[in-house]
Amino acid sequence: MPRTTHPARATRAARRSSATAAPRLLTAAVTVALAVTGGALTAPASAAVPAAVTAGDASQDLAQIRPGGTVVGGGPSGFLTRYSADGVFSYAWTRYADGSTTLLPGSRPYVQTGRTDLLTQGEGTVRTVRDMGTGSEPVATDLAHLAPGYTSGVASGPSSFVTVWADPEGGEELHIVTRTATGLRAEKVTGFPEGADFTSVAIDSPHTVLVRYVDAADTTAVSHLAVVDIERRASVDDVTPAHATSGIAVSPTHLAWVETPANSTTATVVVMPRGTTSDDALRIPLRMAAGLRVALIDGWVLYGQGGAHEAYRTNPLYGLTARSLTDERSVKVLDTFDRAVPGPGGTMLAQGGTLAGGEGVYRILLGADGVPAAEQVASDGRPTALTYLSEDVPEVIDLDQDKSADFSWRLSNRQALTVVKATHVATGRTLTWSPSTRGLSDAKRYTWNGALSDYMPESGVPAPNGAYTWHLTAAPANGIGPAVEKSGTFTVKRAPVPHDYDDNGVPDLVHREYDNSLVAHNPITPLGAYNTSYTQPLSLGTGGWQIYDRIVATGDLAGPPHSDLLARDRAGVLWLYQGTGKGLTRRVQVGGGWQVYDKLTSAADLTGDNRTDLLAADKAGVLWLYKGTGSASAPFAKRTKVGSGWGVYNNLAAVGNVAGAAAGDLVARDRAGVLWLYLGKGDGTFTARTRIGGGWQAYDHVFGFGDVDRDGYADLIGLAEAPNKPYVYRGTGLRTTPFTARQPLYNDAYFSLDLY
């Protein structure tokens, strides 16, 4: 079909590169590798249609399609779906009647003729047409029998094709090719300017073709939109949009498209009565409308955009909205929307979802009231509403063994805004976590380091042992549907340690407050952090503690495995307060006459029987051992003498194992400020002393603190008179250098001298 070359064709390549247009549908060719033939669906497990769905019981009777498929065509008996795996495409046909799905053979893409069951597959110049409604044998047609230049074509009927013919001299024409008894006949579609460059051709129905083209004589290079009447072989509507277009739809009465100005996320849906000009069009401007799609059914324009399931924010355009062309009514047809294709009988098929039916394929048609409604025809098994799927929460967290614990919760949407509140049952202390997805994982994950802090988890205090409840609240980030909630439990455990009054595995500082109440302060991780404002002390008693002239923080003396406390009143009576893990019980009298001692120290096992013992030095300088019994009514055995001459010391501190000995060690400060170490032998006696160093008179008092850094060696606290700040000396396990250099226990906390 030779013709004279138009002089403007020489610039066609440059115009095409600058025009914004959809991909050329008739010339697309993507290599696929399918090792199956037609018939019933038989595919590897990764491609199998799921047997169960989660969108509701009603979907059990629907056709089932694999998630990840894209609906690319709809006909009277079924619809065409495209799948992609590792860059390779495959196609499947699903029937409405029985829900059966057939993988289609071949290694080339399929294109469906709009509103029919005809599928076209091309390879080179050969076009093979399958009628999925009748199941008849495929018919192949070689367009090369016409003339050179026929390299594309999609069936417009069982024996006809719409093609773009490429003139060997460089031009293009739109042709209708018909197969007759004597061969192939090509007819040119009229109404296009000479030199038109066809950039996309879509078969809306056997009667109508939607075309985008660039006019070689138009210097704007904006794609024109045209409607071709196949029977008349002519373009019957031609529009020049003001801006680039991203969608086009046609009905017997209207033409619609989406205009998007360059570098803008605001788009306009334009609906023009056919036979008029764009000046008569309805214009619907929409914000945040990138990728907007448009469709038409009788008296209504429908629009929406994909991306709901990956969205971080709400957008009403994520659903499918229908807008009346006769008044200003708007209705929500689908809660999520991905794409739409022409359907039979003036309907359309939409891929998306509803909160009631879940994700899948819906037929959009007019209801009895004349308003568009969605009728589900297939499900891909995914819920549209945010749905809780599962959790991986440890039943027991042993923080002696692990430094952290991993939690994860799976939801149907990885973008859900998720908060978890964990509550310690015994105390009511709470934690608030914000789990998040990591990498390609679809689970919400949180790694907990065992700290009790919402604001600065890396600087919080250890959380207490015991039972916890967790409560998850997840809200859809896209705003589609209600939030979901789920609850569960877990338990934290650690071995008990001395000086620990809130059962969180680390020793506490006991302090008599200015109002004569008693509290226990947690150390902070890391030591010396600025964080006391976030860690409220544990109350051990309100008021009245001024009656005691000596308070000794101990390990477990009796009863439950929590640290206890000894207090001596001014009459010399010694009292025992048993720890509960969240406070102290009522006091029990141990005995009288304890005013003979001017130094008391505990919080260590000195005899190797796993019971806390007590050391008392009398005013004559004799040191006595009170061996622990484990009995609340009589917590100590009869005293035994350790030795004399201890009057040279003004401070004794039983510290536990600081230098690797078999049992608890003892440090003593003499009146010159020199600190001495006595290693415990395990029988209540000690080795000869070892000098640690001088200058310890800078402290009002020193005392054993247990193992604050959980390294297996006991630590020491020194309280300076000014500015009344506690310093920690961490145990090393070395006899010659049993402690590290000091560091503040808190950088922003000051105490009175009543610290134990």
Side-chain angles (χ1 to χ4, degrees):
M1 192 177 295
R3 58 194 172 117
T4 302
T5 302
H6 194 284
R9 288 178 186 148
T11 62
R12 177 173 290 109
R15 291 181 182 276
R16 180 178 299 173
S17 65
S18 63
T20 301
R24 185 189 304 278
L25 298 181
L26 293 181
T27 59
V30 180
T31 302
V32 295
L34 291 177
V36 296
T37 60
L41 175 64
T42 56
S46 62
V49 175
V53 296
T54 58
D57 293 341
S59 64
Q60 299 288 350
D61 299 327
L62 298 170
Q64 302 296 300
I65 61 174
R66 285 184 289 140
T70 300
V71 175
V72 292
S77 69
F79 59 89
L80 179 66
T81 307
R82 181 182 65 218
Y83 297 91
S84 175
D86 299 326
V88 177
F89 289 98
S90 60
Y91 291 80
W93 179 263
T94 301
R95 293 175 55 85
Y96 306 128
D98 56 12
S100 62
T101 297
T102 302
L103 279 175
L104 298 173
S107 58
R108 296 287 179 177
Y110 287 83
V111 178
Q112 184 165 359
T113 301
R115 309 182 196 279
T116 76
D117 293 329
L118 299 179
L119 305 182
T120 304
Q121 186 182 41
E123 185 165 4
T125 60
V126 177
R127 294 295 176 268
T128 301
V129 179
R130 287 177 168 80
D131 189 336
M132 302 304 294
T134 64
S136 57
E137 288 296 317
V139 177
T141 301
D142 190 348
L143 300 178
H145 292 164
L146 275 169
Y150 287 100
T151 58
S152 64
V154 172
S156 56
S159 59
S160 62
F161 300 87
V162 178
T163 72
V164 174
W165 177 70
D167 188 335
E169 297 183 16
E172 288 183 347
E173 293 178 355
L174 193 66
H175 288 183
I176 306 297
V177 175
T178 305
R179 189 175 60 250
T180 68
T182 58
L184 299 177
R185 181 179 71 248
E187 300 171 87
K188 178 182 177 181
V189 176
T190 63
F192 292 101
E194 187 73 11
D197 181 12
F198 297 97
T199 56
S200 88
V201 180
I203 313 293
D204 180 77
S205 73
H207 310 291
T208 307
V209 181
L210 293 172
V211 176
R212 279 192 179 89
Y213 72 92
V214 175
D215 185 352
D218 185 353
T219 59
T220 66
V222 173
S223 290
H224 294 246
L225 306 179
V227 180
V228 171
D229 186 317
I230 293 179
E231 294 181 0
R232 295 167 57 181
R233 308 304 199 247
S235 171
V236 294
D237 291 286
D238 197 306
V239 178
T240 305
H243 301 284
T245 60
S246 59
I248 181 172
V250 67
S251 74
T253 59
H254 288 81
L255 181 65
W257 64 91
V258 178
E259 290 185 7
T260 305
N263 302 319
S264 175
T265 59
T266 297
T268 300
V269 174
V270 184
V271 189
M272 184 186 79
R274 293 182 61 179
T276 65
T277 68
S278 58
D279 294 337
D280 301 315
L282 167 68
R283 296 180 176 272
I284 309 171
L286 300 166
R287 297 179 61 248
M288 298 189 298
L292 196 68
R293 299 176 176 91
V294 66
L296 288 166
I297 61 174
D298 188 17
W300 297 78
V301 60
L302 300 99
Y303 52 85
Q305 69 181 34
H309 296 290
E310 296 299 321
Y312 290 91
R313 59 182 179 179
T314 62
N315 187 338
L317 296 177
Y318 288 140
L320 180 62
T321 299
R323 165 76 179 267
S324 172
L325 299 179
T326 58
D327 53 42
E328 295 186 356
R329 285 179 298 163
S330 291
V331 296
K332 179 66 69 65
V333 182
L334 294 176
D335 294 303
T336 63
F337 173 64
D338 293 315
R339 61 182 289 111
V341 296
T347 66
M348 58 173 282
L349 287 185
Q351 190 168 7
T354 65
L355 295 176
E359 297 295 300
V361 181
Y362 289 78
R363 181 184 291 113
I364 310 300
L365 70 171
L366 295 183
D369 56 358
V371 176
E375 175 185 86
Q376 191 169 11
V377 297
S379 170
D380 68 12
R382 295 179 301 156
T384 297
L386 180 63
T387 304
Y388 186 88
L389 301 177
S390 63
E391 76 266 356
D392 185 2
V393 175
E395 293 184 10
V396 177
I397 303 170
D398 187 343
L399 291 175
D400 285 329
Q401 303 296 323
D402 303 307
K403 293 184 178 180
S404 62
D406 292 324
F407 295 74
S408 69
W409 296 267
R410 289 189 63 245
L411 301 160
S412 62
N413 189 326
R414 71 195 304 268
Q415 309 299 356
L417 306 175
T418 308
V419 174
V420 175
K421 182 178 181 180
T423 302
H424 184 235
V425 175
T427 64
R429 297 288 295 270
T430 62
L431 294 160
T432 302
W433 301 333
S434 296
S436 60
T437 54
R438 302 172 188 170
L440 299 178
S441 170
D442 61 352
K444 296 286 186 177
R445 300 181 181 276
Y446 188 82
T447 298
W448 183 44
N449 66 350
L452 189 65
S453 175
D454 291 341
Y455 302 96
M456 300 171 62
E458 72 282 0
S459 299
V461 302
N465 296 324
Y468 286 75
T469 62
W470 58 265
H471 184 85
L472 175 144
T473 302
N478 57 21
I480 300 172
V484 299
E485 298 185 38
K486 183 70 174 180
S487 297
T489 62
F490 63 91
T491 299
V492 171
K493 73 172 187 178
R494 307 178 189 83
V497 298
H499 234 285
D500 178 16
Y501 292 93
D502 54 6
D503 193 25
N504 67 349
V506 292
D508 304 314
L509 277 177
V510 177
H511 184 233
R512 181 160 49 190
E513 303 278 88
Y514 295 102
D515 62 358
N516 292 311
S517 63
L518 198 69
V519 299
H521 290 269
N522 265 281
I524 293 171
T525 304
L527 294 176
Y530 290 91
N531 202 27
T532 56
S533 60
Y534 301 143
T535 54
Q536 297 301 318
L538 172 68
S539 174
L540 298 179
T542 58
W545 288 85
Q546 73 277 8
I547 67 171
Y548 300 115
D549 64 2
R550 187 78 69 195
I551 294 175
V552 181
T554 75
D556 174 31
L557 292 171
H562 304 297
S563 292
D564 302 326
L565 186 138
L566 294 170
R568 184 184 67 186
D569 64 26
R570 301 187 188 282
V573 178
L574 191 65
W575 301 88
L576 168 64
Y577 290 85
Q578 294 184 62
T580 65
K582 56 181 179 179
L584 300 174
T585 62
R586 295 176 65 86
R587 68 181 187 175
V588 174
Q589 183 175 325
V590 174
W594 288 80
Q595 70 273 15
V596 300
Y597 301 115
D598 62 358
K599 290 179 282 292
L600 296 172
T601 185
S602 182
D605 174 21
L606 302 175
T607 57
D609 61 359
N610 295 319
R611 290 175 178 169
T612 299
D613 305 313
L614 177 68
L615 287 173
D618 62 26
K619 296 175 182 178
V622 178
L623 185 64
W624 302 90
L625 168 67
Y626 286 86
K627 188 175 180 181
T629 65
S631 169
S633 58
F636 300 114
K638 185 178 180 180
R639 70 179 187 175
T640 59
K641 184 177 180 180
V642 175
S644 302
W646 291 82
V648 299
Y649 300 117
N650 60 14
N651 200 132
L652 296 178
V655 291
N657 176 20
V658 298
D665 304 325
L666 180 69
V667 295
R669 183 185 64 186
D670 65 24
R671 302 186 187 281
V674 177
L675 196 66
W676 302 88
L677 170 65
Y678 290 85
L679 294 179
K681 294 181 179 180
D683 59 359
T685 63
F686 302 95
T687 63
R689 70 181 186 175
T690 301
R691 189 177 190 273
I692 295 175
W696 289 79
Q697 69 273 16
Y699 298 113
D700 178 79
H701 61 286
V702 296
F703 55 91
F705 192 46
D707 184 8
V708 67
D709 55 1
R710 298 176 62 81
D711 65 353
Y713 298 108
D715 306 312
L716 185 71
I717 292 290
L719 180 64
E721 287 194 29
N724 294 7
K725 194 169 187 176
Y727 293 89
V728 61
Y729 291 81
R730 290 183 290 173
T732 65
L734 303 175
R735 180 174 180 176
T736 55
T737 54
F739 299 108
T740 63
R742 77 176 190 177
Q743 67 181 107
L745 189 60
Y746 307 99
N747 267 329
D748 57 351
Y750 303 91
F751 299 86
S752 71
L753 298 180
D754 290 329
L755 194 63
Y756 312 101

